[in-house]
Amino acid sequence: KLVRGNEAKPAKELQAKDYDLEQYGALKTQQMMGAVILGVIYYNWRSLMPLVLQALMTPLNLYESPLFQIYLLGKTVKRPFPKPNPFGFPESPPPAEEAGASAAIEGATEEGYSFITAEFGTKEDCEGLICRAQPLTADTDLENHNEMKGKVAVVARGVVPFFDKAQRALEAGAVGIIVINDEDLPYKCTAPGTDCSAITVPVVCVGHEDGAQLTNGTRVSIAGVAKGAGKVVVAEEGNSGASVTGGGAAVAGGEDDAGGAAEASSNEDAGSSEGVKKTAAGKKKSARD
């Protein structure tokens, strides 16, 4: 299943076929609206230039369409598709800051789940147990509000702005917030025009597949927040068993040593007592003689 969502529309789950049919319908609507607009322009102003431009741009736009790439060229295109430009121009590349952050993450070798730090929130690392919000998009009051205190909240992107999600998790007592993106790469969460000074915990974003691995009760550490990108590392189980075993061995060793010392001391005392007895007996014999 594919999880779709953005900050304006509610998130929903679709099969790949259903999603493609929805995009096909949107593409048809876009082409029809373009034809109607050009028809009106030609009817009123008798201008052929828009028709010529449309005749040149339409095949190019169709060729660059993800549906054309998938079903006619047999290529693999990640869903959800990028939003088409309303004027039919090629899509602009991502901002340099986000692209640089993604490149830096891809080059990292440390184990863990890659994240990008949000524009708001504190820039300190943290750790704690995972608590997935209910509902996961945190678009309403959290049903597990009482379970989140002192834990790292996990929320999903979509339905409401990032700030609203962070605020609900913070009110529930979360010590950190991990946002799951609706794509497999991390995203830089923003809150334009919003005073985010009230968010006093770190906020980061991980890719969709990585976010699915962050289950309730898992202890994680969020490292690299101040650098703008880092890793969510799952903490390894402690060696408490080994420590206990080692302590037991030490105790056992102590008991053995103590036992041996006691036994040696007892033998020495017994030997000394026996020697005293022999000396006394010898003195009595000498007296009789």
Side-chain angles (χ1 to χ4, degrees):
K1 293 183 177 180
L2 300 173
V3 178
R4 300 181 60 242
N6 50 49
E7 297 308 304
K9 298 180 181 180
K12 57 181 177 180
E13 294 186 356
L14 292 174
Q15 297 290 343
K17 182 179 179 181
D18 296 333
Y19 176 80
D20 292 348
L21 287 174
E22 182 180 286
Q23 295 301 306
Y24 175 70
L27 181 62
K28 285 198 306 181
T29 301
Q30 180 185 9
Q31 297 300 322
M32 291 177 62
M33 289 181 62
V36 170
I37 293 173
L38 289 176
V40 172
I41 293 175
Y42 179 77
Y43 179 80
N44 289 329
W45 291 281
R46 302 296 177 180
S47 175
L48 290 176
M49 185 57 66
L51 295 177
V52 173
L53 292 176
Q54 182 69 8
L56 295 175
M57 293 298 297
T58 298
L60 179 60
N61 291 336
L62 291 176
Y63 177 80
E64 293 179 348
S65 167
L67 295 175
F68 186 91
Q69 299 287 324
I70 293 173
Y71 291 100
L72 295 182
L73 300 183
K75 295 184 178 181
T76 301
V77 179
K78 185 182 298 183
R79 300 176 179 84
F81 303 148
K83 292 182 179 180
N85 190 296
F87 300 102
F89 297 115
E91 185 182 8
S92 59
E97 183 179 1
E98 294 183 15
S102 298
I105 288 176
E106 291 174 0
T109 57
E110 183 184 356
E111 293 184 359
Y113 306 121
S114 301
F115 71 76
I116 295 178
T117 306
E119 285 188 352
F120 56 92
T122 61
K123 306 304 178 185
E124 299 176 353
D125 296 346
C126 71
E127 64 177 15
L129 299 177
I130 290 295
C131 181
R132 296 174 73 89
Q134 297 177 4
L136 190 59
T137 52
D139 55 307
T140 59
D141 293 338
L142 301 182
E143 299 173 5
N144 57 342
H145 183 280
N146 297 330
E147 302 173 10
M148 194 168 285
K149 185 176 182 180
K151 299 180 180 179
V152 177
V154 173
V155 300
R157 182 183 182 185
V159 184
V160 297
F162 295 117
F163 175 79
D164 293 354
K165 304 173 189 292
Q167 192 171 37
R168 288 191 176 96
L170 182 61
E171 291 174 353
V175 298
I177 301 168
I178 301 175
V179 180
I180 302 176
N181 193 16
D182 52 11
E183 297 182 0
D184 289 339
L185 287 177
Y187 179 80
K188 190 174 186 67
C189 300
T190 60
T194 303
D195 180 10
C196 301
S197 59
I199 306 301
T200 55
V201 297
V203 181
V204 302
C205 179
V206 300
H208 181 71
E209 290 187 1
D210 290 344
Q213 308 303 316
L214 301 175
T215 56
N216 284 330
T218 303
R219 179 169 292 279
V220 298
S221 60
I222 304 176
V225 177
K227 298 178 181 179
K231 296 282 185 176
V232 176
V233 181
V234 177
E236 297 181 358
E237 296 182 359
N239 296 325
S240 56
S243 299
V244 172
T245 304
V251 171
E255 291 176 352
D256 290 344
D257 294 342
E263 184 178 355
S265 177
S266 177
N267 290 338
E268 289 176 359
D269 292 343
S272 299
S273 177
E274 185 177 354
V276 171
K277 288 179 180 179
K278 288 181 179 180
T279 302
K283 288 181 180 181
K284 289 180 180 180
K285 183 177 180 182
S286 297
R288 285 198 301 269
D289 292 344

